Amino acid sequence: MGNVVTDEKIPNNVSLSSDKRLQRALEAWQPQFIDWWKQMGPVGWQERDIYLRTAVSVETDGWAHFDYVKMPDYRWGIFLEPKQEGRVHGFGDFAGQPVWDEVPGEFRNMLRRLIVTQGDTEPASVEQQRDLGATAPSLYDLRNLFQVNVEEGRHLWAMVYLLQTYFGRDGREEADELLQRRSGNPDKPRILGAFNEPTSHWLSFFMFTMFTDRDGKYQLSALAESGFDPLARTCRFMLTEEAHHMFVGESGIQRVVKRSCELMKQDPNSDPRALGGIDLPTLQKYAHLWYTLSLDLFGGEVSSNAADAFASGLKGRYKEDRYPEHKLIGSHFSMDVLRDGAVVHEDVPMRTALNEVLRTEYIKDCQRGVDRWNKTIKDEGITFEITLPSNKFHRQIGMWSGHHFAPDGQKLDAATWTARRDEWLPTAADETYVKSLMKPCYERGKMASWIAPPAKGINALPGDFEYVRG
């Protein structure tokens, strides 16, 4: 494990300068990345000074440096957590055997697919969010958007490092293709569905960072258990940065909720829309949308791919060491399945149910965030509860796709679904209304009408700090 070197073209702690072939390959990819960033990154803000944190270390204390930087000059680097000597496989058919430092030939394609799929989500979200700067509700939020964006860029670097280092020509071609796909492009879409959805306003951005980035947390956590040690060490450090992205989403919605409640109390009809706010039922619809899009990212409920990745030691469970048993031969998971059009509860072989095991942990985590939103509503004296729908509702992937369920899990016929869909998911009119509120607020310390100020500033800074200047 090399020390952190920050004065090279590519900051890193992987002793990049000692592998000239790899260094040349990554330095050749770097200008392509910068071109992609300038073309597809945040529109209109590339030459502004943004108060950003940059990773400079993998130590828990002082791992990040805060300062003004222009985004194209951001020091995207390659950081792996230190190698644990003597580490062994924690699960699967190789449990107890030493982890791999090189790609095992028989699992090469599976491992590459896992890395490429994870890598593809990172530039996709930057592309989805590229126009949001034009309607930022405050300088604080504008800066947080850009912080999320540059860190998604660094997470792309993390995956490209693995592809270039361990997969030869195939890896170099995959790294190039990560810059060629485009979110929402009909001819070259991003790999996963949620990453082709437009993030057309800040309510969707906060929902995305709350729900979709939280999926990222669980996927990265499962890969952080990997028996391919470089992948595990890469993902462990990525999780450090991912925590901020989820904070942006969860606290962002909490601030919208708080402001909605304040406006309800000011309006004689308790209608926040009358005073330029977002009503709680509309907020509920967007939670339904982004939560269900994010549930799909875990894949099918019963999956041979998930079983193979676990058996091979490539992708574990969330916090695998909490479980008593790590081979899962002969064990089962109790879950709802569809049999002859009816929902039944049955035991499924655990290895094939691992997507659902991970999704179940994710659902619990989402509920904790929603509980905090509901506490804010209660503290404001308003009677309303935001809820997460059934995991069968509005699904496009897995056994529930192609079937219709209400948010409470009740099975519906197509006509009932069509008649009631607009009660549960955002309508064109909802989109039009939310977009009508998206007026930028770039005055220091001020907020747009529809969102409350944050509880505290970034890096303990005052509320009127100039997060974006120039």
Side-chain angles (χ1 to χ4, degrees), residues 151-379:
E151 287 177 351
E152 302 291 13
R154 204 205 66 74
H155 294 178
L156 172 60
W157 269 95
M159 295 296 111
V160 164
Y161 165 75
L162 295 175
L163 290 169
Q164 298 255 22
T165 306
Y166 297 100
F167 292 89
R169 177 184 289 179
D170 288 352
R172 290 192 292 278
E173 289 175 357
E174 293 281 18
D176 290 343
E177 286 181 20
L178 286 168
L179 296 177
Q180 290 161 12
R181 288 186 284 273
R182 293 287 183 266
S183 176
N185 184 305
D187 300 318
K188 281 195 166 181
R190 291 295 173 182
I191 294 168
L192 299 175
F195 291 89
N196 291 303
E197 291 286 326
T199 308
S200 51
H201 49 69
W202 279 79
L203 183 58
S204 280
F205 171 68
F206 289 136
M207 291 293 182
F208 179 98
T209 42
M210 166 67 184
F211 291 118
T212 311
D213 276 323
R214 196 170 305 274
D215 161 76
K217 167 187 169 180
Y218 281 84
Q219 303 299 341
L220 290 173
S221 295
L223 294 172
E225 305 287 341
S226 182
F228 178 52
D229 204 40
L231 176 60
R233 289 160 50 209
T234 299
C235 290
R236 283 199 294 272
F237 184 66
M238 288 168 74
L239 283 162
T240 305
E241 293 172 314
E242 198 73 40
H244 174 257
H245 306 184
M246 292 181 293
F247 163 79
V248 167
E250 186 184 316
S251 66
I253 297 295
Q254 193 160 12
R255 289 162 54 215
V256 178
V257 163
K258 188 174 193 305
R259 183 62 177 153
S260 299
C261 293
E262 290 169 355
L263 294 174
M264 286 174 76
K265 290 185 287 189
Q266 290 174 27
D267 182 67
N269 299 314
S270 300
D271 178 13
R273 286 196 180 202
L275 298 174
I278 298 171
D279 55 295
L280 297 177
T282 297
L283 203 129
Q284 172 71 77
K285 289 186 189 182
Y286 280 93
H288 277 163
L289 174 66
W290 284 101
Y291 173 69
T292 53
L293 287 170
S294 304
L295 287 179
D296 279 344
L297 294 171
F298 289 85
E301 285 72 17
V302 178
S303 168
S304 58
N305 284 344
D308 291 344
F310 184 87
S312 309
L314 298 182
K315 185 178 180 183
R317 288 170 289 185
Y318 176 67
K319 296 188 174 174
E320 180 69 39
D321 58 358
R322 295 186 314 180
Y323 292 94
E325 207 272 299
H326 303 287
K327 292 210 169 182
L328 306 185
I329 295 167
S331 54
H332 291 79
F333 185 69
S334 183
M335 58 190 271
D336 284 350
V337 297
L338 207 55
R339 290 273 178 259
D340 301 320
V343 178
V344 296
H345 202 70
E346 63 182 41
D347 290 340
V348 173
M350 181 71 87
R351 283 190 174 189
T352 60
L354 284 168
N355 285 346
E356 193 65 8
V357 172
L358 195 60
R359 188 164 19 230
T360 301
E361 291 295 320
Y362 166 83
I363 289 169
K364 286 190 251 180
D365 198 8
C366 288
Q367 186 61 55
R368 287 190 286 270
V370 172
D371 289 345
R372 287 188 280 272
W373 298 344
N374 285 327
K375 183 179 184 303
T376 297
I377 297 171
K378 190 176 179 184
D379 289 349

Side-chain angles (χ1 to χ4, degrees), residues 429-442:
D430 292 325
E431 272 286 282
T432 299
Y433 175 70
V434 173
K435 283 182 179 173
S436 77
L437 298 179
M438 298 293 135
K439 306 280 196 297
C441 181
Y442 302 138

Side-chain angles (χ1 to χ4, degrees), residues 366-410:
C366 288
Q367 186 61 55
R368 287 190 286 270
V370 172
D371 289 345
R372 287 188 280 272
W373 298 344
N374 285 327
K375 183 179 184 303
T376 297
I377 297 171
K378 190 176 179 184
D379 289 349
E380 289 290 327
I382 300 293
T383 304
F384 189 91
E385 188 175 352
I386 298 170
T387 56
L388 293 176
S390 161
N391 64 344
K392 305 174 186 64
F393 172 74
H394 188 237
R395 292 290 303 283
Q396 321 295 315
I397 300 287
M399 67 175 66
W400 311 117
S401 66
H403 300 273
H404 300 297
F405 291 88
D408 66 1
Q410 179 188 353

